[in-house]
Amino acid sequence: GAVVSQHPSRVICKSGTSVKIECRSLDFQATTMFWYRQFPKQSLMLMATSNEGSKATYEQGVEKDKFLINHASLTLSTLTVTSAHPEDSSFYICSAASGRYGYTFGSGTRLTVV
Amino acid sequence: EDQVTQSPEALRLQEGESSSLNCSYTVSGLRGLFWYRQDPGKGPEFLFTLYSAGEEKEKERLKATLTKKESFLHITAPKPEDSATYLCAVQAREAGTASKLTFGTGTRLQVTL
């Protein structure tokens, strides 16, 4: 089956620094990748949609200069949280879409900003 | 705007006590309705995709059904390992590449011995 690898699973960073999260489809090519944010006991909130080689489309209210998304290839997308603040602490999840496997989710990244 | 509402918010069952989870939706042309299972601190795990009213799918103790307005996830004789949050999501008909999923807030299921 399809596997999406997301790293790191947990990261703690200091306020003001940047952190990068990687999302990689291991055995398939993803036409589109999605980035979500999830608060405790809440559902997944879509942050942005990215297609390989083009700029990401951000949902309303999501700061594109703060959450930088790069989709360099059909198997790799990265989310960089720039100048992180404690309110950016959350659970971030990526999803890779393909015609064959539908939507496959990564295992998530718990970001804590101190 | 696409909307997904799940009920109940939380459900506690005893082992073997069957029940159903509800997912009501409004979408501008349904392309697919998805059910996922999410364990704490993990990403969602795919369960089912339903495409048209009347469709049903089964997997072990789970059965998903779909009407034009809602979907049900029936859990028959649940076991403690079925404890998780169950998420429902809809995909609208959109041209072009993969369209986004709109998620409900989930049902937190706890199955006790």
Side-chain angles (χ1 to χ4, degrees):
Chain A
V3 176
V4 171
S5 175
Q6 186 174 341
H7 290 283
S9 57
R10 288 177 178 272
V11 59
I12 300 173
C13 71
K14 289 186 177 180
S15 189
T17 62
S18 296
V19 61
K20 181 185 284 188
I21 302 169
E22 274 195 6
C23 179
R24 199 178 290 271
S25 56
L26 296 187
D27 47 4
F28 68 100
Q29 292 184 329
T31 51
T32 306
M33 287 191 174
F34 303 87
W35 286 94
Y36 294 86
R37 185 173 180 176
Q38 187 175 34
F39 292 103
K41 296 187 178 180
Q42 293 189 27
S43 191
L44 281 71
M45 268 181 37
L46 181 65
M47 297 175 66
T49 302
S50 74
N51 295 298
E52 182 258 343
S54 43
K55 288 184 179 180
T57 302
Y58 290 82
E59 295 298 299
Q60 193 171 6
V62 177
E63 299 176 62
K64 61 180 181 181
D65 294 331
K66 180 168 193 55
F67 299 100
L68 300 179
I69 291 172
N70 184 281
H71 195 157
S73 73
L74 285 172
T75 59
L76 175 64
S77 177
T78 59
L79 168 67
T80 302
V81 182
T82 62
S83 187
H85 290 286
E87 55 265 31
D88 298 326
S89 298
S90 191
F91 191 56
Y92 293 88
I93 308 173
C94 70
S95 170
S98 70
R100 181 174 181 182
Y101 298 110
Y103 299 86
T104 305
F105 286 81
S107 55
T109 297
R110 172 74 58 197
L111 170 64
T112 303
V113 184
V114 297
Chain B
E1 186 181 330
D2 303 335
Q3 284 193 322
V4 178
T5 303
Q6 290 188 248
S7 62
E9 187 175 315
L11 180 63
R12 186 176 174 133
L13 299 173
Q14 285 198 319
E15 185 175 14
E17 181 186 359
S18 301
S19 188
S20 297
L21 314 183
N22 177 263
C23 171
S24 299
Y25 65 91
T26 54
V27 64
S28 53
L30 180 70
R31 187 169 181 178
L33 184 140
F34 299 75
W35 282 99
Y36 289 88
R37 169 194 170 124
Q38 186 178 27
D39 293 301
K42 302 288 184 184
E45 176 188 337
F46 173 76
L47 294 174
F48 304 108
T49 308
L50 302 168
Y51 296 101
S52 58
E55 189 175 0
E56 298 183 353
K57 288 192 176 173
E58 284 187 72
K59 179 181 177 181
E60 296 179 357
R61 295 178 292 282
L62 301 177
K63 178 180 175 180
T65 61
L66 180 65
T67 73
K68 288 186 178 179
K69 293 182 180 180
E70 58 190 351
S71 176
F72 290 94
L73 184 65
H74 307 278
I75 304 177
T76 303
K79 298 182 178 182
E81 53 262 42
D82 294 323
S83 298
T85 295
Y86 290 85
L87 298 168
C88 172
V90 296
Q91 180 191 21
R93 292 188 190 279
E94 289 178 19
T97 53
S99 54
K100 64 182 182 181
L101 299 181
T102 300
F103 280 86
T105 51
T107 294
R108 292 192 305 280
L109 173 66
Q110 184 181 11
V111 182
T112 58
L113 292 170

